[in-house]
Amino acid sequence: MPGCCSCVSAFKPRWKRLVDNIFPDDPQDGLIKNNMEKLTFYALSSPEKLDRIGDYLAKKLSRDVSRHKFGYVFISMEALDQLLLACHSQSLNLFVESFLKMVQKLLESNEPELQVSGTSSFVKFANIEEDTASYHRRYDFFVSKFSSMCHSSNAGTNTKIKIRLAGLRGLQGVVRKTVSDDLQVNIWEQQHMDKIIPSLLFNMHNEPSSTTSSQQDQQNIQIDEHPSTVAETCLRDLTCRAAFGNIKSVVNPVLNHLDNHNLWVPSKFAVRCFKIIMYSIQAQYSYVAVHMLLNHLDDNTKNSPQMKQSIVEVLGECVTIAADGSIGPSVLEVFNTLLRHLRLSVDTRVSERSALKASIKKRISHFDEQQQTMFEEAIINTMGTFAAILPDYQKIEIMMFIMGKIPLPTRYEHSDATYPMPSVNGEGDLLLQNMLLKSLFEVGTKYTTVSMSTTFSISFLEPLLAISVAPDPGVRLLVQRIFHTLIDRHDNYHKLNVNNLSKDISELELRVEKCSRQDILFMKRYGAQIYWHMYENMNQSDNRLDNYEALYCTLALLCIEFGGDEILMELVRLTLALQELACKTDGKLSPIHQCVIHAVVSSYLNLISQLTAIPAFCQHIHQVIEERKQHAAYLLPEFIFSDTIVDSSYPTTVHVEDNLLFQQSVISEALHSTGHDVSRLAVPYVHRPSGLEYRQQTELDATSLNLEVESVNSSPGGVRKHPEEQITFESLKRALQSPDNEEDLEEQEKEKRQEILETFKSSTLDEIAAISEHRSQKMQIRLNEILDKLSRPRSRSSTPPRSPQLSLSSLPSPPLKSVPLYEMKFPELLVF
């Protein structure tokens, strides 16, 4: 009887009658709005009936779906949507369960319209903020179904796009519904992200032009409603909600998708994906994505150079987006990874070349080596991009770190180096030198020098100077370019030209400022080493024209940046020494190289004379230049550095007359007339080794110098104290001699002191330091010999020598007795 009552509308409960009344006789008429308002009012008045209403609507929808009455299906979903939006009570959870069952029923059907309708209802539900949490709701089906809809391959283009759009919006709704509720399913789990992220990337990769098949379809589909655009929006929405611990859950599926579908080459799509990620995540978390890319590069070490190049290019784009300092504290680790891959690429190129020479491979593709080169250039550019966002102090550390990886020439190795480096060994290390120096140059271009002493620390300057005299001219050229970018603080490098012999240097518009005291002290300390290496670079027999141009620019920048009187005298002295070098006929330098050095000297002295603005100095320089133009044009840069000159234009032997040379006496007189101290110009430049790397080569006798230090009282009116005379064998011998020889001894001592004084006047600080170092090394060697003799095992027949003194260690020591704590006597102050 109760079952029969349900068939008669008069006997149905009120809530059932209200539900039945919203359906019209003809489904095309749509939902009856008046009756729907009555149902909504009833549901709000009696929320306990809401779950029954939802269950009843679900049964009607399931029946209509099976009977293919799709018009009534749409009416049921519309009614559910309105009830869902209107009701926000604690009983909503039970109604939502019925609602989700209805949505699932629609998504399981094969009708595209029902799938789109169900997705639309789910999106409306996802935008509702519920008052109470749900502990038993599951969204696994919706993640899987929406992801499959994103890969729809329906025959109709418009239908396919509609289904993909519905799937994308459904995934976006799932993320919005679950990401902020800890009680819901964890959407960041790998099983869910491995479905969501590839679905988004699949639609992003299909651009509008490749998806639509005809112009009519393109006109029917707007660009902002295309799956590619919606997928990009969904990826941004998903990434911006990711916390620190969830960033890897987003990036890992992206990397796997790019690997599985070979989307790294070309790198355009990969760059687009990671730009979206980097712009969406929080700035302080961006270094996580950077390190994941580095780890992915490590995992693909054995893959093709094109793929690795794309990863590096993506890495460079990510770094440019990252905020300052967001790369994290492990900056050296990042550069170490890039340098390691650079070294591996160089080793691969060398091994392929050696295999070709040994006929192990039948042939080697030039394209493969070209790809390796492009990969190496990508690494270098990325390191420069990294350095651009770092503070200056970290840029200095990076340059020192890279310098530590550069192998030094074998002949310039030394055991007491403060910055030990590997030595050059074959073609591989030579190629590595070039790559690392290019990396160092790229980082140096991003650094702005303020203080020379800060930029050129001893651990950075000495190795850089050592590599500047490498056997390969290309390496030497790279080092000079590094000096250019680090020394030039006023953008004067591009204004310098070795061909410029103009009498009015103001046309160059050089920016010259007064040198600071700190920079003057820097040059006083390391100037001798720099001059030595400049002279040595000029003396290389395999120099090219670009090497000499680079050396001229380095000397010019030294003159502009360190234009003090004392430093200026040293530069003039070095330049005159280079002129003497070009006049030598020992055969080491060819006539062409001699002419080039003469040309560089003329251009450099012209620059110095113009900067000092001394009329007599300028007049002498231009007089010599005019003489050369008339009688020896091959000694001028206009002839040397011309593109039309061939080797046959040079003379077979170079003999320069005195009127064609710059005279030291005339220059000294001109400088002295304006108040400059020219005493150093009178001392001829001696090209002897200097600095830490060459101390062991010094030929000076350190024993002939006795350094005496005078201490002066710092207070006003203090008395100068002379050091006490040391008791030595010579002093005892002098004391035992007769008084008749005292005058001779005093005369010898006076001459000795005078000799020491002259040595200090004529020697530089580095030469004195080298003398002292040689003396300490000689004493250390003698001490080591003595210790070796004492440490050798004695033979059985030999008797140990008697000690002249009785040492304390040989005396019998009384046994130590431990005193109990309670028997110890403490001072009265410690007794409480």
Side-chain angles (χ1 to χ4, degrees), residues 121-180:
S121 298
F122 182 84
V123 171
K124 294 178 182 178
F125 160 71
N127 294 329
I128 297 175
E129 296 183 3
E130 301 182 50
D131 298 334
T132 57
S134 176
Y135 297 90
H136 57 280
R137 199 177 298 164
R138 304 286 296 179
Y139 293 95
D140 295 352
F141 166 79
F142 296 100
V143 172
S144 301
K145 183 60 181 179
F146 290 141
S147 299
S148 64
M149 291 172 63
C150 292
H151 294 82
S152 175
S153 58
N154 195 288
T157 303
N158 288 337
T159 304
K160 177 176 62 178
I161 292 178
K162 288 181 180 179
I163 296 177
R164 290 185 179 182
L165 286 172
L168 292 171
R169 294 192 175 104
L171 289 177
Q172 192 174 18
V174 172
V175 172
R176 290 179 180 177
K177 197 66 179 176
T178 58
V179 74
S180 59

Side-chain angles (χ1 to χ4, degrees), residues 393-457:
Y393 74 92
Q394 284 189 332
K395 294 176 186 176
I396 296 175
E397 293 179 357
I398 294 304
M399 288 190 289
M400 294 176 60
F401 182 75
I402 297 176
M403 178 58 66
K405 301 290 184 178
I406 301 177
L408 277 177
T410 306
R411 58 176 176 170
Y412 295 106
E413 289 184 69
H414 51 90
S415 59
D416 60 340
T418 58
Y419 205 80
M421 292 185 288
S423 59
V424 176
N425 185 15
E427 182 184 4
D429 285 344
L430 179 60
L431 188 60
L432 182 63
Q433 274 185 346
N434 282 273
M435 292 296 106
L436 293 178
L437 285 174
K438 289 180 180 178
S439 305
L440 182 59
F441 175 75
E442 189 69 25
V443 176
T445 56
K446 306 300 186 296
Y447 174 75
T448 303
T449 302
V450 178
S451 174
M452 294 296 176
S453 58
T454 304
T455 302
F456 294 101
S457 59

